[in-house]
Structure formats: structure tokens, C-alpha cells
Amino acid sequence: MSQTLSASTLLAVPLAPLAGSLLAGLFGTAFGGNWFGRRISHTLTILGVLVSFLISASTLYSVAVDGARLNETLYTWMVVGGLKMEVGFLIDGLTAMMMCVVTFVSLMVHIYTIGYMEEDEGYNRFFSYISLFTFSMLMLVMSNNMLQLFFGWEAVGLVSYLLIGFWFNKPTAIFANMKAFLVNRVGDFGFILGIGLIAAYAGSFDYAEVFAKKQELGALVFPGTDWMLITFICICLFIGAMGKSAQFPLHVWLPDSMEGPTPISALIHAATMVTAGIFMVSRMSPLFELSDAALNFILVIGSITALFMGFLGIIQNDIKRVVAYSTLSQLGYMTVALGASAYSVAVFHLMTHAFFKALLFLGAGSVIMGMHHNQDIRWMGGVRKYMPITWITSLLGSLALIGTPLFSGFYSKENIIEAVHFSQLPAAGFAHFAVMAGVFVTAFYSFRMYFLVFHGKERYDQNPDAHEAQEEPDPHHHHDDHSKPHESPWVVTVPLVLLAIPSVVIGFMYIQPMLFGDFFKDVIFVDGSKHAAMAQLAQMFHGPVAMAVHALQTAPFWLALAGVALSYYMYIVNPALPAAIKRVFQPIYTLLENKYYMDWINENIIAAGTRLLGVVLWKGGDQGLIDGAIVNGSWKLVARISAAVRRVQSGFLYHYALFMILGVFALMTYFVWLNK
């Protein structure tokens, strides 16, 4: 343990946003009497996140440069038998990086919100929620035990419920937050089952103590089966990640989370919540390395998500939903990297993706503001000359997303593709095809959105559904629907610029220490004898410049270029072509438009079946069996017996004498004749 890190100082990292959240939530809303105005509320919450970011940046420096580490228990909640339930911090390379990413992106979102939510009635409440979201994610990533991890895990789920349904008078928002809540409960059931098995067989929640017993866990068989216990544990843990990080088939909640305000879409999709699953699996790498079956399962699920969710992005017309489906696809890439035992590459992509995805979401929000809350990209066009800052930052974010050489997304995506190529797992072939095809698909739908929004003819005055097209309530002034677009205020554009910088350079700067250096030493564990992908990647790496130059000769670069070129031709050169293709491939379009009918299956089969089961258990089990047969049946039986017995009590002496004689006769008969 290094003396350069202080647990008391680090305590301020999660508590500063919590303090800002509580002050704004209690005293800036009607709940506490509206003592604080908007200026005080956003100042307090931004100050809290700023303090958190500054301490996080200092911590990252100490960890990266000085090799500082900390693993300390702050508070023991209770001890049950030998099982300790504690609150503590584990600070290493993985934690410090996540702390900086979460706090920086959150800070940008806080500043951006000042402009975006300017005239919304729930202004103070929104700031309280997003600060609480930041606190929850920080408690998750800083934990040194699984109990605290689960607290943060559920806390981000709770706050996401509040934020997705922020406009609680909007029916679609109510449906979306309930959907997110219920789908995540499915994943969380698996997650808590995995944690419970670890506690039962390892006797501890503490990471270090559990990892110290990994060989013992790896030798156990799950009772009643021939499955290895560690395989069952890892799959259960990953089911939790499937819900939180929106992997197929538990991905259905994420596109609907767009019903919340745009700033929270950026926070959920970039730095919090959806990255929690990726972080958790990386943290648990010592356990996952013991089960090839679990890794293969992860690889298959990630591949399906990366490819098939990308297809859905092609047909979306809502600017936020295009970016949302790109999040699903990129989360699939991260999951594929986890399955290939390239945990550091997955985390590296998590970091680079956080910056450019936050940039794209906030850029989309800026476009929505500039277009007077029209979200349909079919009715935009030519926005570039009206919104130059939004245009250039969105272009940089799109180039990073598709993996353009020298941009941050290139270094992480390219290494994911190579890691899968080197993997020896059975599912690696399908995974490699999925991530390669995903490169083309991502480039196509990303630049489809880019060209339709920023280039081509101006169509913002041709929207036939101008009043119906907007999905978000307009918190700003009511403009003429046909007025020209305009650039957003500085509180919106400054975060865009500050996010654009790491979106371009951070991959180039940190690929060597994070993937091939000592940054994740003693944090992420890979069994090199079975999973040699990272070792092979290290042999191929000759610096970020050489990697970028070499990439110009590889298939991913040409696939990305082909995707951009095709989108340019279809939406700028020959805009009639997409409609013709749609007519020819109408069945496929219908399939994609209905999202592979996953929502229909969930709502009409799974949810309806569950409700039917509930009705059967309610009517048949509760009302029929328990209330009817057991409770009401028992008292009716007692009443009938009582009614029959009551007639025996006549009050006449000769009746009692007769029964006494009959009783004596029966006893005599039994003892004399029958009991010989």
C-alpha cells in the first residue's frame, strides 16, 4: 500500500457528487421548499463533480507514474459467521482510469445540461439525478468487495429509472423506464446468484480473498451436475453484465432509454451504467480465465450484439437512436474482447468509446437544439454552415467511431479485431466475421447520419410532421418550425470541444502503456498458456504510428472506407437509391424496423406469459387453493363438525347415560374380545 494515496481523500471522490445531489435535490426542488435557485443548484453539483474529477486525475497520476496502490476497508457493516460485509476502496490502474473517465464525462454532461435544459421545469431535479448517477458509478468502480459492487450496480439501475422516466408525464418515457428496470432485474438475478455462489464457496466478498482461492474454486463441481462450479459462477456473473451492458437478448431496454433527455443518454451510454458490465468482467478476470466455456459464451453473445445491433442502426431516422444502436454495437465489440481474454483491450475500448460516444450524443443534442427539437434526420441537411462547431466535433466523433487510423477508436477497435483473430476458442471464427462485418456496417450508418444531417440539400423546412416529429419536450422557446438552424450556446459547444480532444488523441497517447505496458499489471490476469492473444498482439505492436500506417493495408480500413463511400453515394450523389432498395428488400426492412421482433416476443410471449402465470397463481393458487381450500375450507369443515357435534349436547340426563353405557360396552368389547 502506497502512502501517496489517502483513503480519507479518496472518500471525497464519491461523496462530493453525492453532497451536490442531496443539496440540489432537497433544497432546489419543491420537496425542500425551493430554497435554491437554478444557478446555485447547478453550481453546487458541478463543483462536486469537479472536485471529484481533480482528485481522480491526481490519483491516476499517482497510480500511473508512482505505482501507487490502495486496498483498504473503511467501514465494517456487519459480520455474519465468518462473512464480512464491508465498505472499502481498491485503487489500481483499472479503478483510477474508470474514475477519471466517469468524472470527466460527467463534468462535461453537467456543463452541457445548463444549456440543454435551460427552461425545463425539472432543471434542479435533473442536476440532482445526474450527480447521484455519478456517485453510484463511482461507488461501483472504487469498491474492493462484491457487496459494495452490487450496491453501486443497483444504484445506477435505480437512478437510470429516474432519468429515463424524467419526463414522467410522457407515456413513452414511463414505458421505457419500466422496461429498463424489468430487463435489468433479469440480469441482476443472475448477477446476485453468481455473487451468492462465490460467498458460499469462497467464504468472502473481498476481491483479494476470493482471487486467492481461485484454484480451489476452479477445482469444484456444481452440486448435482458435472459442470465446473467456476463455469456456472462466471456465466451467472456475465448474465448480470448482459443486462447492465445491454447484450443480446437483454439489450432491448437501451434504445428506449432515449426517452430521457439527451444529456442523460450521453451519461448512460458513454461513462456509466452500460460500461459497468465490461468493468465487472475485467475486474473478475482471474475467475473468468478458469472457464473456457464461459469465455466462449461471452464471445458468442458479444458477436451477435456487435453485428446484428449494427444492422438496426442502418434504418433509424431518429438521430439519437442511430447513436444508441452504435452504442449497442460497440458494447458488443468490448464483450467480444472479453471473450477473447483481451480484457485490457476491452477496457481500452471502453475508455476511448466513452469520449467519442459522449461527444456524438452531445453533438446530437446540439443538433436537436439547433433544429428546434426536430430529431428526424430525413428533415435536416446542410446544417454544417449554420452549426460549424457542432459539425466539426461530430465529424471527429464519427471518424473515431468508425476506427479511422490515428483516431482513438482505431487503436482500440483494431486490437479487438486482431485479438479475436488470434483466439483459439471455438466461437472465434464467427466472432471474427461479426467484428469485421461490423466495421463496414458501423461506417455506413454513422456517415449516413452525418451526411443526412450536415450535408446535402437543406430539408429542415420540408418536414410534413413538424409538430409530431419532436420526441423530446422542447424546454426552450417556441420557435417558428421553419426558422433557420443556429449554433448552440457556449455551455453546449465547450463540452463538445473538450470531448473532441481525447476522442482524437487519447488512443494514440495511451495504447502502449495500457495494452503492452505495466498499467494493468497485477490488475488483469490472463492465462497465457491457454489464451495467447495478448502476447501475440504485443509481438505485432511497433508503436502507434507504425500501427496506423500498417492499417492502411488491412481489410478493416478498406471496409470502413467502403462504408463511408457507399453512404456518400446513397445519400448525397443518388438519394433516390435508398427508397428503391427499401422497396426491393421490403421483408428485410420490415424485420429490421421491428427490431427482429424482440420487443414483440418480449411483450406478447414472455411478458404476457408471465402475466398469465401470475393470474393463474393469483386466481388458482392464492384465491382458489390458499384462500378457498385451505383458509375458507378449514373453517367451513370445522363449522360442519361443530354443527354435528353440537346436536350430541342435548341436555337430557338419559341421553348422557345411554352414551356412557355404549362407551363402556365398546371398551369392554375391545379389551375382552378384540385385544386378546
Side-chain angles (χ1 to χ4, degrees):
M1 187 186 300
S2 172
Q3 297 300 314
T4 59
L5 294 179
S6 166
S8 56
T9 303
L10 288 166
L11 195 59
V13 174
L15 292 186
L18 178 63
S21 172
L22 291 175
L23 289 170
L26 291 175
F27 302 112
T29 63
F31 180 83
N34 288 313
W35 286 9
F36 293 167
R38 297 188 170 206
R39 187 180 294 273
I40 295 176
S41 292
H42 74 231
T43 301
L44 288 171
T45 51
I46 291 172
L47 187 62
V49 177
L50 178 62
V51 168
S52 186
F53 169 67
L54 293 174
I55 299 173
S56 297
S58 173
T59 303
L60 180 61
Y61 180 85
S62 298
V63 169
V65 177
D66 303 330
R69 295 288 188 273
L70 183 139
N71 185 4
E72 188 173 318
T73 298
L74 302 178
Y75 173 70
T76 300
W77 179 35
M78 67 171 73
V79 179
V80 181
L83 195 63
K84 296 179 180 177
M85 301 182 188
E86 301 169 329
V87 177
F89 290 157
L90 171 61
I91 307 300
D92 50 27
L94 180 59
T95 302
M97 183 276 293
M98 288 295 297
M99 287 163 61
C100 277
V101 169
V102 170
T103 52
F104 179 75
V105 173
S106 178
L107 181 61
M108 296 299 102
V109 169
H110 274 71
I111 296 170
Y112 179 96
T113 301
I114 296 175
Y116 195 86
M117 302 292 286
E118 182 183 2
E119 296 184 11
D120 194 281
E121 292 180 0
Y123 185 90
N124 293 351
R125 178 166 58 93
F126 189 80
F127 272 98
S128 176
Y129 286 173
I130 56 176
S131 279
L132 187 61
F133 208 4
T134 308
F135 157 77
S136 303
M137 191 64 187
L138 287 168
M139 287 297 289
L140 188 155
V141 301
M142 295 174 71
S143 63
N144 71 345
N145 63 84
M146 294 174 197
L147 190 68
Q148 187 178 331
L149 173 73
F150 187 72
F151 165 78
W153 194 270
E154 293 302 317
V156 293
L158 169 65
V159 187
S160 72
Y161 173 84
L162 297 173
L163 284 162
I164 295 169
F166 180 78
W167 289 310
F168 49 79
N169 292 320
K170 188 179 173 187
T172 52
I174 298 168
F175 182 81
N177 73 351
M178 184 60 70
K179 188 176 182 179
F181 187 82
L182 292 175
V183 171
N184 271 276
R185 297 293 71 73
V186 176
D188 292 352
F189 177 75
F191 187 53
I192 198 169
L193 188 60
I195 292 175
L197 287 170
I198 291 173
Y201 287 93
S204 177
F205 288 121
D206 187 86
Y207 294 153
E209 294 178 8
V210 172
F211 297 158
K213 297 180 179 179
K214 64 180 182 179
Q215 296 303 332
E216 299 173 30
L217 288 172
L220 296 174
V221 176
F222 191 74
T225 71
D226 56 355
W227 273 41
M228 299 302 294
L229 177 68
I230 196 67
T231 297
F232 199 84
I233 288 173
C234 290
I235 289 177
C236 283
L237 292 175
F238 181 67
I239 288 171
M242 286 168 63
K244 202 65 71 183
S245 293
Q247 296 298 294
F248 177 89
L250 301 181
H251 66 279
V252 293
W253 68 270
L254 194 61
D256 288 352
S257 69
M258 298 298 97
E259 294 296 334
T262 299
I264 195 52
S265 300
L267 201 53
I268 288 177
H269 286 240
T272 62
M273 191 150 174
V274 296
T275 60
I278 309 300
F279 166 82
M280 182 271 295
V281 176
S282 301
R283 175 63 77 194
M284 300 292 175
S285 60
L287 301 182
F288 280 87
E289 281 298 285
L290 298 172
S291 174
D292 279 5
L295 291 175
N296 217 52
F297 178 70
I298 293 171
L299 203 55
V300 171
I301 294 295
S303 305
I304 294 171
T305 308
L307 181 59
F308 290 95
M309 297 305 111
F311 287 145
L312 296 180
I314 295 173
I315 63 142
Q316 301 300 317
N317 295 315
D318 184 303
I319 188 170
K320 287 173 64 178
R321 288 184 181 267
V322 177
V323 186
Y325 279 106
S326 83
T327 300
L328 280 173
S329 182
Q330 297 309 303
L331 286 167
Y333 273 82
M334 298 176 209
T335 305
V336 164
L338 295 174
S341 292
Y343 306 97
S344 56
V345 181
V347 173
F348 187 50
H349 193 50
L350 185 159
M351 179 186 75
T352 60
H353 173 265
F355 295 115
F356 64 72
K357 187 49 56 72
L359 172 60
L360 286 170
F361 262 116
L362 298 186
S366 179
V367 170
I368 292 169
M369 288 177 65
M371 298 296 296
H372 314 302
H373 280 251
N374 168 42
Q375 295 179 212
D376 196 324
I377 59 177
R378 294 171 296 181
W379 308 112
M380 296 184 182
V383 176
R384 173 171 59 100
K385 65 181 180 182
Y386 300 107
M387 306 180 71
I389 299 174
T390 303
W391 162 64
I392 193 66
T393 52
S394 297
L395 176 60
L396 294 173
S398 298
L399 290 170
L401 171 62
I402 70 171
T404 308
L406 296 175
F407 284 73
S408 62
F410 159 75
Y411 292 101
S412 51
K413 282 183 76 173
E414 188 75 12
N415 278 288
I416 291 173
I417 294 169
E418 290 298 326
V420 176
H421 175 67
F422 292 130
S423 176
Q424 299 299 313
L425 292 174
F430 170 64
H432 189 253
F433 166 77
V435 294
M436 288 291 283
V439 171
F440 173 82
V441 173
T442 301
F444 179 79
Y445 69 66
S446 299
F447 274 83
R448 169 183 176 266
M449 179 182 74
Y450 170 78
F451 289 131
L452 283 174
V453 173
F454 295 106
H455 295 272
K457 296 180 179 178
E458 298 177 3
R459 300 178 301 277
Y460 56 84
D461 57 349
Q462 302 171 22
N463 188 356
D465 303 310
H467 296 281
E468 289 78 10
Q470 66 179 48
E471 293 197 8
E472 294 198 9
D474 189 351
H476 304 275
H477 298 291
H478 297 284
H479 308 276
D480 178 6
D481 290 324
H482 302 308
S483 60
K484 293 183 182 292
H486 58 85
E487 186 62 275
S488 302
W490 72 268
V491 286
V492 171
T493 54
V494 167
L496 293 179
V497 173
L498 292 177
L499 283 166
I501 296 169
S503 298
V504 176
V505 304
I506 202 162
F508 182 94
M509 294 172 61
Y510 294 112
I511 180 173
Q512 200 284 325
M514 289 187 71
L515 298 193
F516 310 112
D518 294 331
F519 189 78
F520 290 129
K521 184 181 179 182
D522 301 327
V523 181
I524 289 171
F525 297 88
V526 179
D527 186 348
S529 62
K530 295 194 299 181
H531 310 126
M534 287 305 299
Q536 291 175 283
L537 284 176
Q539 292 176 2
M540 291 176 55
F541 183 72
H542 300 291
V545 177
M547 184 177 173
V549 172
H550 174 70
L552 300 177
Q553 310 167 30
T554 61
F557 171 76
W558 292 104
L559 284 169
L561 187 61
V564 174
L566 183 62
S567 65
Y568 179 79
Y569 178 76
M570 289 179 63
Y571 295 98
I572 300 296
V573 178
N574 188 4
L577 184 58
I581 294 174
K582 177 183 174 182
R583 286 193 299 271
V584 174
F585 297 98
Q586 186 63 48
I588 296 175
Y589 181 85
T590 304
L591 179 67
L592 296 177
E593 191 176 38
N594 288 281
K595 297 175 277 189
Y596 308 116
Y597 294 96
M598 289 297 298
D599 282 341
W600 186 91
I601 292 169
N602 284 329
E603 291 169 24
N604 295 281
I605 297 177
I606 298 175
T610 305
R611 288 196 301 271
L612 179 62
L613 178 63
V615 171
V616 170
L617 293 174
W618 169 39
K619 294 288 187 180
D622 187 35
Q623 292 187 348
L625 181 61
I626 298 173
D627 282 350
I630 298 175
V631 177
N632 294 332
S634 61
W635 75 257
K636 287 177 180 177
L637 179 62
V638 170
R640 288 191 181 104
I641 294 172
S642 300
V645 172
R646 187 171 65 235
R647 294 174 182 172
V648 177
Q649 303 293 331
S650 65
F652 294 107
L653 185 61
Y654 55 84
H655 286 167
Y656 299 146
L658 176 62
F659 281 115
M660 187 174 69
I661 292 166
L662 292 173
V664 171
F665 178 78
L667 288 171
M668 292 284 293
T669 302
Y670 175 76
F671 285 110
V672 175
W673 298 102
L674 302 178
N675 195 28
K676 290 183 177 180

